[in-house]
Amino acid sequence: MQLINGEAVRGRAPEKKYRARYLEVLNAAAKLFSAKGYQAATTTHIAEELGIHQASLYYYLKSKEQALEQICEIAIDGYVRFSQAIRKSRQPVTTKLRKLIFMHLITLELRPNFFKVFQENRKDLGDQARHRIGQQIRTYESNVESIIRQGIRAGALRADLNPVRATLALLALCNSVAVWWHVRSDEAIQLIAKDLADIFIKGAESGKAAAKPGV
Amino acid sequence: MQLINGEAVRGRAPEKKYRARYLEVLNAAAKLFSAKGYQAATTTHIAEELGIHQASLYYYLKSKEQALEQICEIAIDGYVRFSQAIRKSRQPVTTKLRKLIFMHLITLELRPNFFKVFQENRKDLGDQARHRIGQQIRTYESNVESIIRQGIRAGALRADLNPVRATLALLALCNSVAVWWHVRSDEAIQLIAKDLADIFIKGAESGKAAAKPGV
Amino acid sequence: MQLINGEAVRGRAPEKKYRARYLEVLNAAAKLFSAKGYQAATTTHIAEELGIHQASLYYYLKSKEQALEQICEIAIDGYVRFSQAIRKSRQPVTTKLRKLIFMHLITLELRPNFFKVFQENRKDLGDQARHRIGQQIRTYESNVESIIRQGIRAGALRADLNPVRATLALLALCNSVAVWWHVRSDEAIQLIAKDLADIFIKGAESGKAAAKPGV
Amino acid sequence: MQLINGEAVRGRAPEKKYRARYLEVLNAAAKLFSAKGYQAATTTHIAEELGIHQASLYYYLKSKEQALEQICEIAIDGYVRFSQAIRKSRQPVTTKLRKLIFMHLITLELRPNFFKVFQENRKDLGDQARHRIGQQIRTYESNVESIIRQGIRAGALRADLNPVRATLALLALCNSVAVWWHVRSDEAIQLIAKDLADIFIKGAESGKAAAKPGV
DNA sequence: AATGAATGAGTGTTCATTCAT
DNA sequence: TATGAATGAACACTCATTCAT
């Protein structure tokens, strides 16, 4: 028996099927956590979603909380990866910020449940996992902060901008979308991203004479 | 014991004492809900916080959920009241927005737990209460939206600003503070409010050259 | 301080008032026990009926169960007393039986709650009290049985009548009225008593040629 | 797990085992309800009777009240069924009445607890179930009343007999047996039924001289 | 690969009762 | 004479989790 990522892994062919079903289970958990909240969603709800018996969940999951952990880890990994890429890329800062906002929002379209759960239910993690995830969040934030500092240094952003506060504001703007998206409207993520970027950037960037038309 | 409107009414002086203790109980509940979440906070935790037996809570509370209701109602009532006042006042729109942001944030200083609970746990309310509170939230939002529309009409804000989206963005900015304030820093609310207002307004207002005189 | 019936008794004048209020309390308890059942009726319900605070009940009552005891005792005492009188009286047995049935039913009109509670809730008494009451019930039953044996001996009742079974049947007939009286009809107790007596006696008495018209 | 009509359906063989155990659980509940009363019997008591943990009850039972419902439904269904059959049968009315009394009493021997619980604890049902059961009771009563009216029309029963009162009296006679049977004696149900029938019928039937031939 | 059966620790809530005032 | 405040023991019920099969 091999160990991958600290998990016992079954034989050759079955392993693939197991993995596939495991992801289905995770998806179902994410869907229910997202819909009802982690505490209110019961293992019975998740099992019903999958059409299996409650006890069968435990063939795939070590515990309910471990499912939450996995979901949060997958979500934060995505954030960390694209923020890293954007930070290191070579383009104007405003372009970077627009890209970042777009990428942050597009996660909602790709795996809506994972990211909603990550945002709203990571507080329900156990201490250890919460701190591990928290570490990653701070990595994401510091990537964003780096970009903003680059912008300030380059003169593209206001010199008096508080980089920490601006970072938190930017992320708050992005995260807020998850709450009303699909409830209040079904507008395309791209349009929403553009509007948010306009609000953030046109205030953050220095020395603009007037509203740039086609931005 | 007299009955007025089906509710037990206590005498003069005792009534005061009861009310005072009732608010202490509500505060303790808000503190625990805020710290652990509504579902995870048990009535035992709340009672311990007050130094009384769990069953004694029910001398003051009809139920755990009714406590949540009260907390949310007190919170949203505050928002509705000041937003109404600001909307109807006669001052430049940017001044109104700065005032609004400041008022929204100052609530954190007054009753931090009430507003955190309101933001994070109103989803745990029963259907009836949630809808009642939802009604109030929409009133608050429409007050904010009104102010933004006034600004657009008056030419103080960008003509191409989407008023709905701008409203949600503004509130997201304000609400995000509750998450990190007192954790990440203990800076004065006033300074935070000014920074957020700068980020929001300088992007939202049209035709500014670089002016930051009296901001 | 004197002791009457094992209870501490207060001073001169106040004693009368106390006793009067005590009976009011007992009445209220009987009313609620009768309406909701002993277990389902709470001390709060009883206090509300009296317009006093729950805790104030305990100025008059040692406990909820003691109230039930008192109620049952008052009820059974009534039964024992009139059955004794009728048994010892000198009249035809059928007259005695008709009188007994009438007396048993008339209790419903006099103190409906006490007797309903006695019938339906004496099983909720503690062991000691239940046995004490049970003793009294057996006295009542044996008075009735005596009358029936008198009738058999005198030839007025069937010789092959099983006296024990006939006693139980007679009392069952009487007790059943409490269940539907005032629910299903408001006919006079006298008429009901006559009908029941007819059903019981015309079967129990021997050698009747045909239905006696005016009985 | 398949879902049919919203209810979980088990496979072939296990289904049988489940059903069997379910009935054991219901029996245990009936036994405890009958011994202590519905309110006083706790789920812990019932579980102890079965030798399982209290929580395990809820694998079989939706709630304590639902158990009571089931018990009452099973009981009343029996009454309705045999009373229907007897009413429609073609035999002398007195034979019908004797049969009815016998059938009513024989239920005590089959499932003593179910019928005691039905008689004494149906008042503890929730409104909905109580009304549903009440409907059935009225069906039973009206079947009995029909038989009595047949008898009156046919001249077999007294013309001045009040059919409603006679019905209630008959049922009271039958129901009363549950209270003392097995406590006071262990006589055969048949003998008891005969005695009760004699008491009821010989009063109810008209124009008998002194005849007790084949009774 | 999945489940039937069961459990143990808890959860909110109720209620009779107490006692200082 | 009555009550405000509090309690302790119990209660029905829930739920994540286990394990033999």
Side-chain angles (χ1 to χ4, degrees):
Chain A
M1 205 153 61
Q2 302 166 268
L3 286 181
I4 297 184
N5 285 338
E7 281 216 11
V9 172
R10 285 142 189 75
R12 290 281 81 183
E15 177 184 343
K16 270 225 167 90
K17 255 177 91 182
Y18 176 86
R19 188 77 198 166
R21 193 87 174 112
Y22 171 71
L23 289 175
E24 282 182 62
V25 170
L26 224 53
N27 263 313
K31 181 169 173 184
L32 267 295
F33 291 167
S34 155
K36 309 196 170 214
Y38 172 72
Q39 310 259 11
T42 70
T43 53
T44 306
H45 291 140
I46 299 170
E48 267 169 10
E49 172 76 21
L50 289 161
I52 62 175
H53 186 104
Q54 186 205 172
S56 309
L57 279 181
Y58 288 81
Y59 184 69
Y60 298 101
L61 259 30
K62 224 190 69 198
S63 71
K64 190 186 172 190
E65 194 179 313
Q66 182 241 30
L68 180 59
E69 258 176 70
Q70 286 285 313
I71 290 165
C72 288
E73 243 153 42
I74 290 174
I76 188 63
D77 281 358
Y79 288 134
V80 168
R81 214 170 305 127
F82 74 69
S83 65
Q84 202 91 355
I86 294 174
R87 197 195 84 205
K88 292 184 175 168
S89 70
R90 298 199 146 269
Q91 3 180 13
V93 162
T94 54
T95 309
K96 286 188 178 188
L97 289 175
R98 283 175 190 283
K99 210 163 223 167
L100 187 96
I101 291 169
F102 175 74
M103 289 300 293
H104 192 119
L105 295 194
I106 205 72
T107 59
L108 287 180
E109 214 155 64
L110 295 177
R111 286 172 168 273
N113 299 322
F114 278 62
F115 289 95
K116 274 186 83 171
V117 167
F118 166 72
Q119 277 178 47
E120 298 193 352
N121 296 110
R122 63 169 180 264
K123 66 177 181 325
D124 294 307
L125 286 166
D127 285 349
Q128 208 187 319
R130 202 173 60 255
H131 289 135
R132 201 172 58 242
I133 298 285
Q135 214 68 18
Q136 299 261 72
I137 294 175
R138 252 157 278 129
T139 304
Y140 180 40
E141 288 176 352
S142 85
N143 280 337
V144 177
E145 200 181 315
S146 280
I147 296 172
I148 288 177
R149 286 187 192 278
Q150 290 170 6
I152 296 174
R153 267 200 310 277
L157 301 184
R158 271 200 278 129
D160 65 336
L161 198 64
N162 178 327
V164 173
R165 216 105 88 203
T167 300
L168 294 172
L170 178 54
L171 296 180
L173 242 30
C174 292
N175 287 331
S176 71
V177 175
V179 178
W180 53 264
W181 187 65
H182 268 322
V183 173
R184 215 179 277 250
S185 84
D186 45 29
E187 304 176 60
I189 285 289
Q190 279 123 314
L191 296 180
I192 300 171
K194 184 192 171 297
D195 275 5
L196 288 193
D198 279 352
I199 288 177
F200 183 77
I201 293 175
K202 294 194 186 168
E205 66 181 352
S206 68
K208 63 243 139 169
K212 285 136 205 172
V215 183
Chain B
M1 195 170 62
Q2 299 165 270
L3 287 181
I4 296 184
N5 285 336
E7 285 221 5
V9 172
R10 282 150 239 275
R12 252 10 354 225
E15 158 89 13
K16 272 233 167 80
K17 252 176 96 178
Y18 174 85
R19 186 79 199 168
R21 192 86 174 114
Y22 171 70
L23 289 175
E24 283 180 60
V25 171
L26 227 50
N27 265 313
K31 181 169 172 183
L32 268 294
F33 291 166
S34 152
K36 310 198 169 209
Y38 172 73
Q39 311 254 17
T42 71
T43 52
T44 308
H45 291 141
I46 300 170
E48 269 168 10
E49 171 76 21
L50 288 161
I52 61 176
H53 188 108
Q54 187 226 57
S56 308
L57 278 181
Y58 288 80
Y59 184 69
Y60 297 98
L61 261 28
K62 226 190 68 195
S63 69
K64 190 186 172 190
E65 193 178 315
Q66 182 243 28
L68 179 59
E69 256 175 74
Q70 285 285 313
I71 291 166
C72 288
E73 241 152 44
I74 290 175
I76 187 63
D77 280 0
Y79 288 134
V80 169
R81 214 169 307 125
F82 73 71
S83 66
Q84 202 92 354
I86 294 174
R87 197 194 84 205
K88 292 184 177 168
S89 70
R90 300 197 144 270
Q91 14 185 357
V93 162
T94 53
T95 309
K96 285 188 179 189
L97 288 175
R98 284 176 187 282
K99 211 163 220 166
L100 186 96
I101 291 168
F102 174 74
M103 288 301 293
H104 191 119
L105 296 194
I106 205 72
T107 58
L108 287 180
E109 212 154 65
L110 294 176
R111 289 170 173 273
N113 297 322
F114 277 61
F115 290 96
K116 273 188 81 173
V117 168
F118 166 72
Q119 278 176 45
E120 300 196 348
N121 297 110
R122 65 168 177 263
K123 67 177 181 324
D124 295 306
L125 285 168
D127 285 349
Q128 211 187 318
R130 203 175 57 254
H131 289 136
R132 201 172 57 241
I133 298 284
Q135 211 70 17
Q136 298 263 73
I137 294 175
R138 252 158 278 131
T139 303
Y140 180 40
E141 288 177 353
S142 86
N143 281 337
V144 177
E145 200 181 315
S146 278
I147 296 173
I148 287 176
R149 285 184 192 279
Q150 291 170 3
I152 295 173
R153 266 200 311 277
L157 301 184
R158 272 200 279 130
D160 65 336
L161 198 64
N162 178 329
V164 173
R165 214 105 88 203
T167 300
L168 294 172
L170 177 55
L171 296 180
L173 243 29
C174 293
N175 285 332
S176 70
V177 175
V179 178
W180 52 263
W181 186 65
H182 267 322
V183 174
R184 217 178 275 253
S185 84
D186 47 31
E187 305 176 60
I189 284 289
Q190 279 124 313
L191 296 181
I192 300 171
K194 185 191 170 297
D195 276 4
L196 289 191
D198 279 352
I199 289 177
F200 184 78
I201 293 175
K202 294 196 185 165
E205 64 181 353
S206 68
K208 63 249 140 164
K212 316 150 213 172
V215 182
Chain C
M1 205 153 61
Q2 302 165 267
L3 284 181
I4 296 184
N5 286 337
E7 282 217 9
V9 173
R10 284 142 189 75
R12 285 289 78 183
E15 176 184 343
K16 271 229 168 84
K17 254 177 91 181
Y18 175 87
R19 189 77 197 168
R21 193 84 174 117
Y22 170 72
L23 289 174
E24 282 182 61
V25 170
L26 224 51
N27 264 313
K31 180 169 174 184
L32 268 294
F33 291 167
S34 155
K36 311 198 170 210
Y38 173 72
Q39 308 259 11
T42 70
T43 52
T44 307
H45 292 140
I46 300 170
E48 268 169 10
E49 172 76 21
L50 289 161
I52 62 174
H53 186 106
Q54 186 204 173
S56 310
L57 279 181
Y58 288 80
Y59 184 71
Y60 298 101
L61 259 30
K62 222 190 72 199
S63 70
K64 191 187 172 190
E65 194 179 313
Q66 182 242 29
L68 179 60
E69 258 176 70
Q70 286 286 312
I71 291 165
C72 289
E73 244 153 43
I74 289 174
I76 189 62
D77 280 0
Y79 288 132
V80 169
R81 214 170 303 127
F82 74 71
S83 64
Q84 201 91 354
I86 293 174
R87 196 194 83 205
K88 293 184 177 167
S89 70
R90 301 197 145 268
Q91 12 184 0
V93 162
T94 53
T95 309
K96 285 189 179 187
L97 288 174
R98 285 176 189 281
K99 210 164 221 166
L100 186 95
I101 291 169
F102 175 75
M103 288 301 292
H104 191 121
L105 296 193
I106 204 71
T107 59
L108 288 179
E109 215 155 65
L110 295 177
R111 284 172 169 273
N113 299 323
F114 277 63
F115 290 95
K116 275 186 80 172
V117 168
F118 167 72
Q119 278 179 43
E120 300 194 351
N121 297 110
R122 63 168 178 264
K123 66 177 183 322
D124 295 308
L125 285 168
D127 286 348
Q128 209 187 318
R130 200 174 60 254
H131 290 135
R132 200 171 58 242
I133 298 285
Q135 213 69 16
Q136 298 261 71
I137 293 174
R138 252 158 276 132
T139 304
Y140 179 40
E141 288 175 352
S142 84
N143 280 337
V144 177
E145 200 181 315
S146 281
I147 296 171
I148 287 176
R149 286 186 193 279
Q150 292 169 4
I152 296 172
R153 267 199 309 276
L157 299 184
R158 271 201 278 130
D160 65 336
L161 199 64
N162 178 330
V164 172
R165 215 105 88 204
T167 300
L168 294 171
L170 178 55
L171 296 181
L173 243 29
C174 293
N175 286 332
S176 71
V177 175
V179 178
W180 53 263
W181 186 65
H182 268 321
V183 173
R184 218 178 274 250
S185 82
D186 45 31
E187 304 177 60
I189 285 289
Q190 280 123 313
L191 296 179
I192 300 171
K194 184 192 171 296
D195 276 5
L196 288 192
D198 279 351
I199 288 177
F200 183 77
I201 293 174
K202 293 193 186 171
E205 67 181 354
S206 68
K208 61 240 141 169
K212 288 136 199 171
V215 181
Chain D
M1 196 170 61
Q2 300 165 270
L3 286 182
I4 296 183
N5 286 338
E7 284 223 4
V9 172
R10 284 151 239 272
R12 277 302 66 189
E15 157 90 11
K16 273 231 167 80
K17 254 175 92 178
Y18 175 85
R19 187 79 196 167
R21 192 89 174 110
Y22 172 71
L23 289 175
E24 282 182 60
V25 170
L26 225 50
N27 264 314
K31 180 169 173 184
L32 268 293
F33 291 167
S34 153
K36 309 197 169 211
Y38 172 73
Q39 311 254 15
T42 71
T43 52
T44 307
H45 292 142
I46 300 171
E48 269 168 9
E49 171 77 22
L50 289 161
I52 62 177
H53 188 107
Q54 185 227 79
S56 308
L57 276 182
Y58 287 82
Y59 184 69
Y60 298 97
L61 260 28
K62 227 190 69 197
S63 69
K64 189 186 172 189
E65 194 179 314
Q66 182 243 27
L68 180 59
E69 255 176 74
Q70 285 285 312
I71 291 166
C72 289
E73 242 152 44
I74 290 175
I76 187 64
D77 280 358
Y79 287 134
V80 169
R81 216 169 303 129
F82 74 71
S83 66
Q84 202 92 354
I86 294 175
R87 197 194 82 205
K88 292 184 177 168
S89 69
R90 298 198 146 271
Q91 10 183 4
V93 162
T94 53
T95 309
K96 286 188 180 187
L97 288 175
R98 284 176 188 282
K99 210 163 224 165
L100 187 96
I101 291 169
F102 175 73
M103 289 300 293
H104 191 120
L105 295 194
I106 204 72
T107 58
L108 286 180
E109 213 155 63
L110 294 176
R111 289 172 174 273
N113 298 322
F114 277 61
F115 291 95
K116 274 188 80 174
V117 168
F118 167 71
Q119 278 175 46
E120 299 195 350
N121 296 110
R122 64 168 178 263
K123 66 177 184 321
D124 294 307
L125 286 167
D127 286 348
Q128 211 186 319
R130 203 174 58 254
H131 289 135
R132 200 172 57 242
I133 298 285
Q135 211 71 16
Q136 298 262 72
I137 294 175
R138 252 159 278 130
T139 304
Y140 180 42
E141 288 177 352
S142 86
N143 281 337
V144 177
E145 200 181 315
S146 279
I147 297 173
I148 287 176
R149 286 184 191 278
Q150 291 170 4
I152 296 173
R153 266 199 311 275
L157 301 184
R158 269 200 280 131
D160 66 334
L161 198 65
N162 178 328
V164 173
R165 215 106 86 202
T167 300
L168 295 171
L170 178 53
L171 296 180
L173 243 29
C174 293
N175 287 332
S176 71
V177 175
V179 178
W180 52 263
W181 186 65
H182 268 321
V183 173
R184 219 178 275 250
S185 85
D186 45 31
E187 304 176 61
I189 284 289
Q190 280 122 311
L191 297 180
I192 300 171
K194 186 192 168 297
D195 275 5
L196 289 192
D198 279 352
I199 288 177
F200 184 78
I201 293 174
K202 294 196 187 166
E205 67 181 353
S206 69
K208 65 248 139 169
K212 313 151 211 169
V215 183

